[in-house]
Each structure stands twice: as structure tokens, then as C-alpha cells.
Amino acid sequence: MSSSDYLALLSKAIEKLKAQEPILSLNEARILVVGDTHGYPEVTEWALELAEQLGAEAVLFLGDYVDRGPKGVENLELVLSRLLEDSSPAIYMLRGNHEDLEMNYYYGFYSEALNKRGPDYLNSIAELYSVLPIAARADKVLFVHGGVPCRLCTNSEEDPVRVEEIAQEAHVLREEGSPSLVEGKSSLVMQALWNDPRGSIEWFIPSPRGPGIYLYGRSAWRKFLEENKLELIIRAHETVDGVLVWHSNGDHREGVSGVLEFDELEYCVVSVFSSLYHGRRAAVLLVDVEEGVIEPVYYNIE
Amino acid sequence: MPWKCPVCGTENEDDREFCVVCGAVRPSAEEAEKQEALQLQEPRDKHIEKVEEKVAGEEAAVVEAGETVEEAVAVEEKAGEEAVEEVKPEQPPAPPIEALYFEVVNAPAPDLVGKKIPLMFKVFPQITIGRSPENVVILPDPTVSRRHATIRVEDGRVVLIDLGSTNGTFVYNSETGSFDKVEKIELKPGMIVRFGENTIVKITTEP
């Protein structure tokens, strides 16, 4: 492929993503969910093959395609080219906190892309970041990179944010362009990509990740789910051992395997991590909305 | 002889004085035996129940002498519970509270999140906190100083003192919703404390 081919790939992907709502509504029942892949196309390839083997109707990527791992360019292009194929399973992409040019300066993708593809490519990347959807909804499940945002953001009860409010803000950011969210003021969208769940707290406390980012507690995620008529959040963003479940009572289990029913996951938050850079296990989640089950599948396990 | 961590259950080598996973201090042989005995105890064993009540009574006496505010409060609460429990005498009395705990809310080492670290101010007059292994509580966090803070009992109060750490010790302020830097503060259950930039713990009385 020549450099104009790579630019064409990006511009076609941008057109396709622009036509999607910033909060996707998924109609597929069997969805393979992939967490952070961070420059490891081998995991992405494995997930795409696995989706076909398992008869998944859609593959949903929760973001963080680039940075940290050595092959961010290849990884992102692999997902984008599959997005454009229009074959089954359907491919959906969400924005992660690393789909952010400011982050890319510090975590490797900026120089990687500059070396491998040149400056024009980065201009298109900035446009791509602005149009990536922020979250997806399938029945009672919300998929998002980080999780629950807040308005007042203190460790006491507040009116829960509605998903429509995040969508409104996302529309505005799309119009304005948002190559970097960390440079702007704190927003619901930024928090949805950055916040982390912590069962030992109740509402919100400032996150060590930085200003405008929060840790959300067990009452915060329950209220948010209730308000939005949801029951479960599936998210990525943290280097967990494959799959971690935060239960509604605030306890958590890591490295979870086996089939889990929606009934036992009511008002839970599930984290899935799919990269290899952290030296722990990579996993993906098969979510069957009709059957009401999720099943973790671990990478490289015979 | 390898020893089992009373906090997270990790089997540690004999030459370790602190748990390699959660940093909890190694229990003395006596403590370990007591722990085992408690685990083996059956609630319907009337004899042991009586012994426990006696121990609990002694505990209350010590607190009356003004050991710590937290314990006094805890024992008062316990007394309240017992009064209610008189209706149901079959239940064993709650174990005496000997310590506060750090419940880890956030840490760079993901395995630490959710773990509880006991602060045994009866065993250690100074509970030193920091990154290096000579501390009572070791926090594996590059933004925590080698000797970061200490906890001790002063005039019946449990106080947390920052030891001039590079990145500071902070307490969550529910009024402002942010963390305030502190030099010295009385520790109370429910407080949320941050050491350096990344390690956040909640103070709790529940083991």
C-alpha cells in the first residue's frame, strides 16, 4: 500500500463513522467485546477469528487501539479495514482515552505514526478521533471505555447523568472536532472514557489519573444504571487480569471465567482487558443479549 | 517455616517479615496460633464462648483506661449491639476490635485494590508507612516516599503524621470534593487518605 492508500483508508473510515450516532444502539444479539488492544494486532486478529468461530454477529472494540504496544498503526488499520468490509460479523469501534493526540505524544503512537506514515496521516487521525462513537447500548447493557461520569463529583449522592446528556455533548464535540479530550475542560464525554469503578467507595472521588477524572463508587454506578434503565456496564481501560467483575455490593473478582448470567450481574460493572503489554492475561467477552449471558474467552489458552 | 498472610492469604517464605503481595506485617507465632484457634472455633461450643466473653470484658477494661478513642467508640457500639443481641443469645459476641484497617481503594499494584491492611497500634507503637521494606505498612508506589508517614496513638487519639514526604499525604474533603494536603491529622473511620499521587485508602474498622 502507498501512503495515499493509507490516507484513503482513514478518510473512508471517517465517512462511515460520521454516519453513526455517537452512542450506538446495537441490534445484534451475539457480540464479541474487545477491550484495550494497545498496539497488539495479534490479539485483534485472534479476536476477529474467534468471533467467526463463535458465530458472533458483531465485534465491538472498546477503544485504545494505539500507544504502548509496538504496532499501533498496524492494529488501528486492521480494525479500520475490517470496519469498511461490510461483511459479517459487523464491526463497531468506540473511542478510548488513548484516541487522543495529546496522549499519543506521551505514549508512543505519535512518533510511531509519524515514522511509519508521515504528518498527513496524523492530520487524518485527528479527524478520526473526533468521529469515533463514545458508547454503545444493547438492551440493558452499556458498553463504554471508562464508565460513569458525574456533574458535582463528590462522595455524596447527586442526580445521575443520563446517557442522552453524554450523547448531546458528544454531538457538540464532533462538530467542534476533538483530537484531544485531555486538553479541553472536563466533560461528561471525557469522564466516560477515563473514569474507573472502585467498589470500596460510594459516589465519586478524584482519580489519581488526573484533573477532571474520577473514581466512581458502587452507589454511583447503581444509580446511573437505574436512571438509564440499564443493568450492566461492560468497559475496559484498566490493566486487569483478563476479566474483572465489580459486584453491586462493591466486592470484586478478577480473572473470571465460565458463563455468567445477567441475573447474577445486575448492577455490576465488568472490566475486560485485551492487550499483552502489561504481562497479564488478555481476554475478550462474548455477550449474548438474547440468552442473557456473558462468557470470557482468554487469549493463548489451549 | 513459611507463613500465611492474615490479610490476603498469600503463603510467604520464612525470611519475609512482610507479605510479598499486600505488604501486611508477619504475625507473631502467638498471633498465628490465636488466629487458627479462632477459625477452628465452633459457635455452639459454650466453653469457648465464655472464654471469649471474658476476653471481650478485658478489652473493654483496657479501653476504659483510655487507650484510643476509636476503640472506645467501637466498644460502645459493640455494647449497643450486645444489648440488642440479648434477644438472640445464640449468636456469638462480635470479636474485639484491636485495630483500624486500610482498605485499599486505589494502588499502582492492581492486586492491592480491595485488600485490607491492619493497623495494629497495640503491636506497633509507630506504624510507619512508606515504599521501603523497613516500614510496617509498605506501599509499592513510586510516588510514595521511602519513609512517607507514620501513625501513632497520642493522648488517646490515633494520628497520622506526614514525615516530610516528597509528594505529600492528603485527606479527602467531602465539602470541596477534593483532597487536602495534611501534615498531621486524627484518623477516623470513613476517612479517605491518599499517599503520594496514586495510593488511596479508606479507613475502616471492619476486618
Side-chain angles (χ1 to χ4, degrees):
Chain A
M1 274 171 81
S2 71
S3 67
S4 64
D5 293 334
Y6 293 119
L7 290 175
L9 171 68
L10 287 182
S11 84
K12 280 182 201 156
I14 290 165
E15 285 313 306
K16 174 151 188 172
L17 293 167
K18 250 187 199 169
Q20 298 178 346
E21 286 295 315
I23 310 283
L24 301 167
S25 292
L26 305 185
N27 296 314
E28 291 86 353
R30 273 170 84 78
I31 306 163
L32 191 77
V33 184
V34 187
D36 302 21
T37 46
H38 277 310
Y40 279 91
E42 44 271 64
V43 186
T44 305
E45 252 163 49
W46 165 76
L48 290 166
E49 276 168 30
L50 184 71
E52 288 188 27
Q53 285 168 25
L54 297 175
E57 295 155 56
V59 182
L60 172 64
F61 290 89
L62 299 179
D64 280 15
Y65 314 93
V66 300
D67 282 338
R68 301 193 193 273
K71 293 179 182 169
V73 167
E74 292 82 353
N75 191 39
L76 180 65
E77 287 171 359
L78 173 61
V79 183
L80 292 175
S81 55
R82 289 298 291 266
L83 173 81
L84 292 174
E85 274 177 17
D86 278 329
S87 56
S88 182
I91 306 295
Y92 296 103
M93 293 175 75
L94 300 183
R95 186 174 187 176
N97 65 309
H98 279 268
E99 276 68 65
D100 186 304
L101 281 186
E102 185 70 17
M103 292 293 286
N104 299 156
Y105 280 119
Y106 292 99
Y107 292 94
F109 181 64
Y110 193 90
S111 55
E112 185 200 335
L114 199 62
N115 291 334
K116 289 180 180 168
R117 300 287 184 260
D120 290 348
Y121 188 85
L122 279 164
N123 289 336
S124 295
I125 287 289
E127 202 181 338
L128 174 78
Y129 288 173
S130 302
V131 298
L132 279 171
I134 302 304
R137 222 185 142 135
D139 195 28
K140 304 267 182 178
V141 188
L142 185 77
F143 304 91
V144 62
H145 188 72
V148 178
C150 49
R151 275 184 272 257
L152 302 174
C153 306
T154 69
N155 197 21
S156 42
E157 186 166 2
E158 64 170 271
D159 280 346
V161 167
R162 284 176 298 111
V163 173
E164 295 77 43
E165 292 174 76
I166 305 173
Q168 279 167 15
E169 208 184 74
H171 271 292
V172 174
L173 283 171
R174 216 181 236 198
E175 292 299 310
E176 291 174 351
S178 61
S180 174
L181 289 168
V182 293
E183 279 185 327
K185 59 179 183 342
S186 174
S187 64
L188 300 179
V189 168
M190 178 185 163
Q191 288 189 42
L193 268 47
W194 276 93
N195 290 1
D196 294 301
R198 287 292 182 270
S200 50
I201 56 165
E202 277 206 77
W203 300 97
F204 299 92
I205 63 170
S207 169
R209 286 185 189 265
I213 304 165
Y214 296 88
L215 300 172
Y216 54 96
R218 57 187 187 276
S219 303
W221 77 62
R222 173 186 276 266
K223 275 276 168 186
F224 173 83
L225 288 169
E226 283 174 351
E227 170 75 19
N228 289 290
K229 302 195 165 43
L230 292 161
E231 286 177 4
L232 173 63
I233 294 169
I234 295 178
R235 45 89 68 177
H237 196 36
E238 286 186 281
T239 57
V240 302
D241 181 26
V243 173
L244 182 150
V245 178
W246 285 102
H247 294 281
S248 55
N249 66 359
D251 292 343
H252 72 281
R253 277 195 301 148
E254 198 170 4
V256 174
S257 57
V259 176
L260 299 169
E261 306 214 355
F262 279 13
D263 287 349
E264 48 186 323
L265 292 171
E266 195 179 23
Y267 304 125
C268 290
V269 180
V270 177
S271 299
V272 56
F273 199 78
S274 314
S275 187
L276 297 173
Y277 83 86
H278 66 328
R280 306 175 89 199
R281 290 186 296 169
V284 293
L285 266 185
L286 183 67
V287 179
D288 195 316
V289 180
E290 260 173 35
E291 299 275 320
V293 292
I294 69 170
E295 185 177 3
V297 185
Y298 284 80
Y299 179 74
N300 212 5
I301 286 182
E302 306 306 334
Chain B
M1 199 181 128
W3 55 280
K4 191 174 179 183
C5 173
V7 179
C8 68
T10 304
E11 290 284 343
N12 288 283
E13 296 296 322
D14 189 45
D15 59 355
R16 301 273 176 184
E17 288 306 308
F18 300 93
C19 175
V20 291
V21 171
C22 73
V25 67
R26 177 185 187 158
S28 68
E30 273 174 28
E31 282 167 357
E33 266 175 35
K34 199 173 147 195
Q35 189 83 14
E36 268 178 34
L38 277 172
Q39 279 164 6
L40 291 173
Q41 173 206 336
E42 295 282 327
R44 61 189 143 80
D45 188 331
K46 293 262 162 63
H47 174 69
I48 293 179
E49 227 180 272
K50 271 182 192 159
V51 173
E52 259 218 338
E53 272 165 25
K54 193 168 164 257
V55 171
E58 282 166 6
E59 191 70 27
V62 172
V63 172
E64 271 163 27
E67 184 99 12
T68 75
V69 169
E70 270 67 34
E71 284 188 344
V73 170
V75 170
E76 266 172 40
E77 279 170 7
K78 195 160 74 71
E81 276 165 29
E82 275 171 358
V84 174
E85 276 169 14
E86 272 171 18
V87 193
K88 312 178 278 178
E90 291 304 311
Q91 289 202 341
I97 295 164
E98 295 193 341
L100 291 175
Y101 296 81
F102 277 176
E103 182 175 1
V104 180
V105 174
N106 198 72
D111 288 345
L112 269 183
V113 172
K115 290 281 172 354
K116 288 182 179 170
I117 305 168
L119 306 175
M120 292 178 284
F121 25 74
K122 288 209 159 156
V123 182
F124 297 94
Q126 291 269 2
I127 299 179
T128 55
I129 299 159
R131 204 179 69 231
S132 65
E134 76 265 20
N135 289 289
V136 177
V137 174
I138 304 162
L139 299 177
D141 177 342
T143 69
V144 166
S145 293
R146 280 168 293 186
R147 290 176 72 255
H148 194 102
T150 188
I151 294 172
R152 62 172 180 245
V153 179
E154 278 183 8
D155 306 326
R157 291 162 195 269
V158 181
V159 292
L160 169 69
I161 300 156
D162 184 272
L163 297 173
S165 67
T166 308
N167 294 306
T169 299
F170 303 81
V171 170
Y172 179 74
N173 178 338
S174 51
E175 306 264 305
T176 60
S178 55
F179 282 94
D180 296 341
K181 198 165 194 283
V182 292
E183 304 293 331
K184 182 174 181 178
I185 193 162
E186 184 183 351
L187 274 191
K188 290 177 181 166
M191 266 184 179
I192 300 171
V193 179
R194 196 182 85 209
F195 298 101
E197 289 171 20
N198 300 318
T199 302
I200 301 175
V201 300
K202 195 174 92 176
I203 311 300
T204 173
T205 53
E206 291 162 31

